Amino acid sequence: MNLQLATQSLKKFFGYDAFRPLQADIVQTVYDCRDALVLMPTGGGKSICFQIPAVTLEGTAIVVSPLIALMKDQVEGLIANGISAAFINSSLSALALRQVEEAAENGYIKILYVSPEKLVSHGFQSLLKRLKISLFAIDEAHCISAWGHDFRPEYTQLKFLKEQFPGVPLIALTATADKLTRKDIVNQLQLQDPAIYIASFDRPNISLTVKPGQRRYEQIIAFLKERPNQSGIIYCLSRKSCEDLAQKLTLKGFPAAHYHAEVPAALRSKTQEDFINDRTPIICATIAFGMGIDKSNVRFVVHYNLPRNLEGYYQEIGRAGRDGLPAAALLFFSYADVTSYREMFDQGDASPEQKALKIAKLERMFQFAEALVCRRKTVLNYFGETYDRTCGNCDVCQNPPRQFDGSVAAQKALSAISRVQEKVGMNLLVDILRGSSRREIFDQKFHEIKTYGAGKEYSFDDWMFFLLQMIHIGLIEIAYDDRHRLRVTEEGKKVLFEGKKVLLAMPQPKAVPEERLPRFTEKTKAQLLKESLFEQLVALRKQVAQQQGMPPYLIFSDATLQIMAEKRPLSDQEMMEVSGVGERKLQLYGDAFIGSIRRFVLEKTSNGQRVTGSTQLQSWEMFKNGQPVEEIAKIREISPFTVMSHLASMYERGEMVDIGQWVSPEDCDFIQGALPLFEEPYQMRPLFDHFEGRFSFDQIRWALAAFRRINK
Ligand code: ADP
Ligand code: ZN
């Protein structure tokens, strides 16, 4: 089996022109009948690694996946691409099960998804023996490890696959696996000398931003205003904040639904369906939401609260931008969250070691949030990947901190902490520094200390920003076991009493309200055209999806619609060149989308806008409506010669017309036979001269068009 066929199939079925890094190697490994372990981030393109071998090899591929909710979508997606696929899980009726089994036995199914429970059942085992199996793929392979976070006991039985089918290649795939889990996967599945592929976990299209948690709601509104109609997830820690936030956003004109473990199951799945089908753009959810969401056009993930560890953070933001288009991850950070987690961990019944581990991970999480180095670098380094550049797509890279001599500010804070006998937390300390008239301050006579009101020159947020840094560099610490009061450390004492200098990062300038921002970047006409066509195509996709009862992203991805909006394909041939349009999709949806693009182009033109390709299209439409060339020329006030060139160019682009009316097949051959004497791009005049008037310009034009159409 060779890779050329694999590449052809990639275009034919999925509409993609090339494999991503590693995909081709992995396909080749399966062809070589070797086992493989594949680690790729969410959205990295794991499925292609087993789907392409599955469609090119003889027999049926068995794909084990624990996410029953996802199977249906995955199978629908494959069928929509013209691949015969089916699934077997507990949701199937006995009759449906029988039908799938029969189809598989008769060799009609190339890819068969199965849940781990069914895989180990007797019925399925005996079916397996009757099939010709091309390969096994174990998706979400980390579920096999008791060390991982989604341990599934049924997965541990999968070792029988290698025992009973030693000659069939097995490929295990996952997006999360540390070294221990990796070893577990290899051992438990009894992989034989597996090839191990670890892709970079970088998701460069996701921008990373961390913001202080003050006035989150306002910040979210501003964030959403910049992203009209986009789809995204907002993760909240508590069920109540999911509900409150969803309600407030909806009232504000950003339709949102909430999702958490206490929502009744039926409503939960409806909420999920509405999200997947682009009916509800925003979901405010606890981390219960997301496993089993394959939607490729999630444009943003917001963390309303700090995630409990970087693994969780990275997995959650990974749900954005699977289509590779720009997506945003925004995280709000506050010490209150850290405190809540600590309380949660303390109250939980985990062993002391487990608690310590949780706290250590939480610490790494908030170090990430506080740090003033490239976010991507920090997080990738955490996952053990060397990333020695800076990314340019995170808040730190885009707005590098400027440092100043913050010794005086630090001294004020440290002095205030010690003058109140280390009896206050962060909020109260800042209020003291800013001379607030809060009651507690007067009750406890804090207004009498020397540093009361000594820090009015900085805003509340600025002080918070400084204090966080002071914690980070070890000048103060939080007494978690004593009402989170602040304490001055030994290092802090050096600043306070020995005049040690402190460098602090300057607070970021406050964002200027949008309407007051100068508009530096007027959108170009081309951009505006593209955007409005994209919107039209999105609407069409939604309509088609509704008719088909399928999620819109399975019809075409956002990325594919973006290319259509940019390139404006007007014929089947041009449509086929769009990444994401394979043969089956062209057949099913080509006409509808080409029709929509044509209407768009014609409409713009009739409104007096110049759109590339539109003048050709106009002549073509008139010609197709039966108007002769002469008449078109008269109406459009152009020469018949130009009209003819329009028709020829449409023919070149893949339109059908009988060209015999302008050049006979023999003449066409004759003219084309002379082409090797000339250089590309071929010009009409030299050809005309070459034939000394034997052929007309029109004949030459059509012979050339026919040549280009075929050799495009
Ligand atoms: P994963 O399973 O690793 O999360 P998917 O297999 O769902 O990722 O792929 C993510 C997205 O990337 C999908 O929309 C998929 O169709 C697309 N994709 C995968 N491989 C390619 C490729 N070679 N070229 C273009 N797009 C690809
Ligand atoms: Zn960066």
Side-chain angles (χ1 to χ4, degrees), residues 8 52 73 125 128 160 163 184 251 255 269 296 319 348 354 375 386 521 542 561 609 642:
Q8 282 165 5
I52 286 293
D73 280 0
Q125 301 239 345
L128 276 185
F160 86 88
E163 284 162 6
D184 243 13
L251 286 175
S269 58
S296 70
R319 293 180 182 134
Q354 280 172 322
R375 310 267 178 214
T386 358
T521 47
K542 197 164 172 185
L561 294 192
Q609 257 179 291
T642 309

Side-chain angles (χ1 to χ4, degrees), residues 208 373-378 387 389-398:
L208 309 176
V373 291
C374 171
R375 310 267 178 214
R376 203 171 307 274
K377 192 177 164 121
T378 314
Y387 187 91
R389 310 160 263 156
T390 48
C391 78
N393 194 20
C394 75
D395 55 339
V396 180
C397 285
Q398 284 177 349

Side-chain angles (χ1 to χ4, degrees), residues 211-212 214-215 459-462 465 507-513 517:
K211 295 212 166 192
Q214 283 89 34
R215 287 185 293 278
S459 70
F460 187 91
D461 293 353
D462 291 350
F465 185 63
Q508 305 289 350
K510 286 277 157 303
V512 186
L517 273 179

Side-chain angles (χ1 to χ4, degrees), residues 10 14 16-20 23 40-48 139 294 296 322-323 557 579:
L10 185 68
F14 297 93
Y16 300 137
D17 298 317
F19 284 110
R20 289 194 181 147
Q23 283 178 335
M40 262 188 204
T42 315
K46 284 186 286 300
S47 321
I48 292 289
D139 211 0
D294 237 358
S296 70
R322 278 174 184 241
D323 51 17
S557 74
S579 171

